[in-house]
Amino acid sequence: MLDTQRLRADIPAYADAAGPPPVFLDSAGSSLPPRVVIDTITAHLRREGEIGGYRAATERLDDLAGVKSAIGALINADASAIALSDSASRSWSDFFYAIGLGPGDRILISGADYASNAIAALQRARASGASVEAIPSDPTGRLDLEAFADLLDERVKVVSLLHAPTNGGLVNPVAEATRIAHRVGALVVLDACQSAGQIAIDVTELGVDAMSATGRKWLRGPRGTGFLYVRPEVCRELEPSRLDLHSATWTGPQEYRLAPDATRFEFWECDVAARLGLGAAVRYLLDLGPEHVFAAVAANANRLRDQLPSIPGVTVRDLGTERSGIVSFTIEGLDPVEIRDRLRDSDITVTVSHRSSTLLDMSARRLDSVVRASPHCFVSVEELDRFLDAVGRLARRRR
Ligand SMILES: *Cc1c(COP(=O)(O)O)cnc(C)c1O
C-alpha cells in the first residue's frame, strides 16, 4: 500500500499550498515531480555555476550511470540497452531512422498511433519508396490481432505499436502483436510514453525490438528528458542516421567505430541536471514500489470512469478492455477546450487531446477532440470528487 500522506508531503504543490490543494489531473501531459527531483536539478545547476559544467558532471558520474540502471530495473533491461535523450519523439525517431527501407517495403502503424510517429513514417516512406499502412482496430478499439496477422508479409520491415494512446484509456496487446510481427521478421518499435510509470513494462516479456518513453509524464521526471531501449541483438545491427564523438569513436583518417551498445543512439551533450532529475524520479518510483503506484493510478482512473457516466450529458470515450490511467470524455454541447478552461477557473487541471494527435483513431470515431483527465497515484479521492462535482455543474448548466 502507498502512504498517500507521505506521497503528498513530497509534492511542493500540496505541502506548500495555503488554501485547498489544486486538483491535478494531467500526468499524461506533464506531471508533478516529487521534491527530490526538483532539488536534484536545482542543486546541480547551482553546482555548475560554482565550478563549471564539466567538473560538476564529473562529481556525479556514479549518479549519471545510475540513471540508466534505474530505468533498466524498471523495465527489466540491462543499462547498456538504454539510450537517454531529450524526448520520447527523439528516441523513437532515432531508432526508426536507423532502419533500412527501400521501394516496396511496408511500414505498419497502429490505429491509435501518435502523430509524431506517423509523420516520421510518412516522411521515410516518401524518401524511400516504402508504404505506410494502418493496423485495423477490433470492435473494442484494441489492435486487431487477426487482422494484423493477415496484413503481414516479408515486405513489412517495421511495425509501430502503441502501448497506450495519448487520447484515452486503451491498452494494446503488445506481447501478442510482437510475437506475430516477428514471424515475418519485422522489427517492432513500441511507444510506451503513456505506459512507462503507470503500467508494468517488462521489455523481455513484451519482446519488442525498441521502446521509447518520456520523462515528464507518468514517470514524474523533468521536461526535456526521454529514453530509448534497444534490444542488444538488434542494436548491434543498426547504425544511427547521425553520429557524434560519443555515439562513435574517430579511429583513423577514414574510419570510425560505433559504440558497442545503445550509447550509439546518444549524443554527448545533454542537460546533465535534467538527466539527474530523471534518475531521481525513477529511483523514487522504484522505492515506492511500482506495483503499488500502478494499482493506485488504476484505482483513481477507475473511480472517474465509474462515476462520469452517471452525469447526464457526459460520455466516456475510452476504448479497449484493459485500461490505462487516462480517462477521456466529452460533454454534450460543450467544446472540450471550453471545458478545460472552465475547470481551470476552479484550479482543476485537465488537457484536451485534439484530432491531429491521433488522426486515424479520432477520424474513425468522428471526434474532433476529447477532454483528458489523467490522475496519478498522488491525487486524493476528495480531489477526484471535486472534479466530478465541477463536471456535473458544467453539464447541468449546459442542459
Ligand atoms: C507524449 C507522447 C509522445 C511524445 O513524447 P515527447 O517526449 O513529447 O516526445 C509520444 N507518444 C505518445 C503516445 C505520447 O502520449
Side-chain angles (χ1 to χ4, degrees), residues 217-231:
K217 297 179 180 174
W218 299 95
L219 289 170
R220 303 174 63 196
R223 297 204 59 174
T225 57
F227 69 87
L228 174 70
Y229 154 82
V230 190
R231 197 152 66 84

Side-chain angles (χ1 to χ4, degrees), residues 14-312:
Y14 300 133
D16 309 340
V23 178
F24 187 82
L25 305 176
D26 189 26
S27 287
S30 192
S31 191
L32 302 180
R35 196 185 304 271
V36 63
V37 171
I38 298 161
D39 289 350
T40 298
I41 295 166
T42 51
H44 192 74
L45 290 175
R46 269 196 299 275
R47 194 64 182 144
E48 287 183 338
E50 286 162 8
I51 60 170
Y54 284 11
R55 272 183 63 197
T58 306
E59 288 180 346
R60 305 296 301 271
L61 283 181
D62 289 347
D63 294 318
L64 281 167
V67 181
K68 291 188 194 178
S69 321
I71 293 170
L74 183 68
I75 64 169
N76 190 26
D78 194 82
S80 65
I82 311 286
L84 301 173
S85 79
D86 57 6
S87 76
S89 301
R90 178 87 58 195
S91 291
W92 193 94
S93 61
D94 281 348
F95 176 80
F96 183 71
Y97 281 75
I99 301 167
L101 289 173
D105 286 343
R106 301 168 65 204
I107 304 166
L108 299 189
I109 65 172
S110 297
D113 222 322
Y114 190 68
S116 301
N117 306 345
I119 291 166
L122 291 169
Q123 186 189 32
R124 290 217 63 206
R126 200 172 281 178
S128 66
S131 65
V132 180
E133 297 153 71
I135 305 166
S137 304
D138 74 12
T140 74
R142 291 189 344 154
L143 189 143
D144 187 328
L145 291 169
E146 271 180 42
F148 178 48
D150 289 344
L151 262 184
L152 288 168
D153 62 26
E154 71 293 342
R155 297 318 305 259
V156 177
K157 290 293 179 271
V158 52
V159 178
S160 166
L161 293 183
L162 206 78
H163 205 180
T166 204
N167 66 332
L170 170 73
V171 179
N172 272 316
V174 173
E176 295 85 339
T178 300
R179 273 196 293 277
I180 295 171
H182 281 167
R183 281 189 217 145
V184 296
L187 289 172
V188 173
V189 52
L190 178 66
D191 179 335
C193 248
Q194 293 297 358
S195 54
Q198 66 136 327
I199 294 173
I201 294 176
D202 180 330
V203 286
T204 312
E205 221 170 85
L206 295 177
V208 295
D209 299 295
M211 184 186 92
S212 60
T214 201
R216 70 180 186 277
K217 297 179 180 174
W218 299 95
L219 289 170
R220 303 174 63 196
R223 297 204 59 174
T225 57
F227 69 87
L228 174 70
Y229 154 82
V230 190
R231 197 152 66 84
E233 296 79 1
V234 171
C235 191
R236 281 195 284 275
E237 304 298 320
L238 287 179
E239 173 150 354
S241 63
R242 281 145 206 254
L243 297 171
D244 78 342
L245 48 56
H246 172 79
S247 45
T249 306
W250 195 9
T251 51
Q254 302 294 325
E255 280 160 34
Y256 62 88
R257 189 178 58 237
L258 291 171
D261 58 18
T263 306
R264 67 178 58 180
F265 285 100
E266 278 176 356
F267 269 18
W268 182 81
E269 175 58 355
C270 67
D271 183 338
V272 175
R275 206 161 264 198
L276 290 168
L278 175 63
V282 178
R283 265 195 312 281
Y284 182 83
L285 171 60
L286 293 171
D287 289 346
L288 288 177
E291 66 283 8
H292 301 306
V293 170
F294 303 159
V297 170
N300 277 346
N302 285 336
R303 183 179 181 87
L304 296 188
R305 262 194 294 266
D306 288 348
Q307 303 284 321
L308 279 170
S310 61
I311 303 172

Side-chain angles (χ1 to χ4, degrees), residues 309-386:
S310 61
I311 303 172
V314 173
T315 307
V316 172
R317 299 289 181 177
D318 296 337
L319 300 174
T321 45
E322 192 192 334
R323 297 284 172 68
S324 82
I326 296 180
V327 181
S328 59
F329 67 96
T330 51
I331 303 178
E332 201 187 323
L334 268 182
D335 182 352
V337 169
E338 195 186 341
I339 299 169
R340 178 198 65 197
D341 292 346
R342 296 250 211 114
L343 290 173
R344 189 170 294 171
D345 294 341
S346 316
D347 211 2
I348 297 171
T349 304
V350 297
T351 40
V352 174
S353 197
H354 294 279
R355 179 175 10 204
S356 57
S357 296
T358 45
L359 182 81
L360 300 178
D361 170 52
M362 295 287 271
S363 301
R365 293 195 278 154
R366 296 175 205 284
L367 288 169
D368 277 323
S369 56
V370 293
V371 185
R372 183 177 72 174
S374 46
H376 215 307
C377 61
F378 52 74
V379 178
S380 70
V381 168
E382 294 74 36
E383 286 152 11
L384 296 176
D385 290 347
R386 262 171 64 199

